[in-house]
Amino acid sequence: MHPDKYSTWKMLQWDPPEFGRAPGGPPSNVAISHVRLGGRAAFMGKVGEDEFGDELVLMMNKERVQTRGVKFDETVKTGCTYMKVKFDENGKLKMETVKESAEDSLLSSELNLAVLKEARIFHFNSEVLTSPSMRSTLFKAIAWSKKFGGLIFFDLNLPLPLWRSRDKTREVIKKAWNKADIIEVSRQELEFLLDEEYYERKRNYRPQYYAESFDQTKKRRDYYHYTREEISPLWHDGLKFLFVTDGTLRIHYYTPLFDGVVVGTEDVLITPFTCDRTGSGDAVVAGITRKLTTYPEMFENQDVLERQLRFAVAAGIISQWTIGAVRGFPTESATQNLKEQVYVPSMW
């Protein structure tokens, strides 16, 4: 299917005329978005020798993502998720999903060390931790990356099975979490790992009286910034950055030296006529990784950090307003242009 065919579906997003393939996933989305923003990226993994694997690798090659770290295996099928969106008897959306996980068979001996040696940042998410056979491969890759001087970026991106138990999830991600130099979590994921019921009550609290001063007002739920004491259960000594994203509304950041929040814009409403928020979070992460590789002073200079995080926010905003996740990832110039429109010059 021609990619521009998505454009003709603008009024039919929730009732498309045919089945459409959408090769990719969070890791490949971040890689593609990173390249669109002017960086260089390589993808490591395994696919089957079938049309789905060929299509995925071809798409990444077209997007100039290096794929020499991808292994083809004729004995397994490419991991696919088949989703059919329909309405149940109560009128609610329902999805039927079947997944065959061929990517779980990548061996540590199949890692491309040349790719790891070139990488300044090794990015992964928690999906790989749900497969026992892949954990040893992941930690081997992390060890090699650290040996070569790379930074480890853990993009949590919790899959559905890990939302069932806080204790179980913390146990699964603990080792990877403690080895990461940079971690990105969403607001919902952070509160889930801490105590979502407490933060739900805090968000829904309405003060009895209007707070006149800014210092009082900013402590209300719309301006809330998690304190260091609150995130301390998740902090470890080797961590250089912890980012907590709340869509494109704000990015909270924490370093050993300082912490703060960068304010963006409200997420757009999900309707058949406005946007596709599928890849917005991946675009934000790609914006962060892109700037971390080009502005090392972000680690020590709070002003530089905030200026570059506004770039990541702008990337997420553009991604929300384009149909199709991969098609929606913006270029570096488009992102910079929007950043200069959203923020005043002193904040560029």
Side-chain angles (χ1 to χ4, degrees):
M1 184 179 67
H2 193 277
D4 284 339
K5 192 166 184 176
Y6 283 116
S7 301
T8 65
W9 290 10
K10 187 170 184 180
M11 306 302 177
L12 302 169
Q13 283 189 67
W14 291 354
D15 187 20
E18 62 184 84
F19 171 76
R21 290 185 184 178
S28 61
N29 284 351
V30 171
I32 291 172
S33 183
H34 184 87
V35 172
R36 290 267 185 94
L37 293 173
R40 296 173 60 231
F43 184 85
M44 298 185 70
K46 179 180 282 190
V47 297
E49 287 193 4
D50 50 40
E51 58 179 325
F52 291 109
D54 292 341
E55 185 175 4
L56 176 61
V57 174
L58 177 61
M59 179 198 68
M60 289 192 289
N61 286 334
K62 287 181 176 179
E63 295 290 343
R64 296 182 297 169
V65 174
Q66 292 185 22
T67 56
R68 54 189 172 136
V70 177
K71 298 294 182 180
F72 287 86
D73 191 337
E74 61 182 6
T75 64
V76 291
K77 295 181 179 179
T78 301
C80 298
T81 301
Y82 303 92
M83 294 189 295
K84 181 180 180 182
V85 181
K86 63 180 182 180
F87 292 93
D88 61 16
E89 59 276 5
N90 297 320
K92 296 182 179 180
L93 284 174
K94 184 179 179 181
M95 290 188 295
E96 296 177 348
T97 305
V98 179
K99 182 177 180 182
E100 298 177 354
S101 299
E103 65 269 19
D104 295 342
S105 60
L106 182 68
L107 304 176
S108 57
S109 59
E110 296 175 315
L111 293 172
N112 191 317
L113 299 186
V115 173
L116 290 173
K117 190 173 184 179
E118 292 179 10
R120 297 174 64 182
I121 294 179
F122 176 74
H123 169 274
F124 69 97
N125 64 22
S126 56
E127 181 75 36
V128 68
L129 296 172
T130 61
S131 170
S133 61
M134 281 294 294
R135 291 176 194 169
S136 60
T137 304
L138 170 66
F139 293 122
K140 190 69 174 178
I142 290 175
W144 278 111
S145 185
K146 282 182 173 288
K147 184 176 181 179
F148 293 138
L151 295 173
I152 309 302
F153 193 120
F154 187 8
D155 177 7
L156 193 59
N157 207 349
L158 287 178
L160 184 60
L162 293 182
W163 283 96
R164 295 171 184 165
S165 167
R166 180 188 304 114
D167 294 335
K168 179 65 176 177
T169 297
R170 292 182 71 166
E171 180 183 343
V172 170
I173 69 174
K174 181 178 180 180
K175 185 176 180 181
W177 187 282
N178 290 334
K179 289 183 177 295
D181 301 301
I182 306 164
I183 297 174
E184 184 274 334
V185 298
S186 68
R187 176 180 62 83
Q188 292 83 358
E189 290 168 340
L190 178 76
E191 294 179 0
F192 170 73
L193 293 175
L194 295 174
D195 184 354
E196 69 269 34
E197 294 180 0
Y198 166 77
Y199 288 101
E200 186 69 24
R201 292 194 301 270
K202 195 177 186 72
R203 277 197 305 277
N204 292 331
Y205 170 74
R206 292 293 187 274
Q208 185 175 1
Y209 301 103
Y210 175 73
E212 294 183 356
S213 69
F214 174 73
D215 287 336
Q216 289 176 299
T217 304
K218 71 179 182 180
K219 294 179 182 179
R220 292 180 57 192
R221 67 186 186 96
D222 295 336
Y223 297 89
Y224 189 72
H225 175 63
Y226 305 95
T227 65
R228 284 189 174 273
E229 290 72 22
E230 287 176 304
I231 67 164
S232 60
L234 303 177
W235 189 267
H236 65 82
D237 292 338
L239 198 57
K240 293 180 172 61
F241 276 122
L242 173 63
F243 296 107
V244 182
T245 57
D246 188 2
T248 57
L249 181 59
R250 57 176 62 87
I251 300 178
H252 305 265
Y253 60 85
Y254 303 85
T255 78
L257 302 176
F258 47 78
D259 64 272
V261 60
V262 170
V263 178
T265 65
E266 292 277 0
D267 288 328
V268 292
L269 297 175
I270 300 178
T271 75
F273 309 103
T274 54
C275 65
D276 179 353
R277 288 166 54 179
T278 308
S280 180
D282 297 328
V284 171
V285 171
I288 293 173
T289 59
R290 171 65 178 135
K291 292 305 180 180
L292 285 174
T293 57
T294 52
Y295 288 88
E297 56 268 33
M298 289 172 63
F299 291 90
E300 299 179 354
N301 189 315
Q302 187 172 10
D303 180 63
V304 173
L305 172 63
E306 291 193 352
R307 291 175 187 273
Q308 304 314 318
L309 288 182
R310 294 184 187 109
F311 178 88
V313 170
I317 293 172
I318 295 176
S319 179
Q320 290 181 346
W321 284 94
T322 310
I323 305 300
V326 173
R327 291 182 71 250
F329 294 139
T331 62
E332 184 175 23
S333 60
T335 304
Q336 184 64 30
N337 287 340
L338 181 64
K339 174 186 172 182
E340 295 176 3
Q341 294 178 38
V342 172
Y343 300 101
V344 297
S346 62
M347 302 174 74
W348 293 352

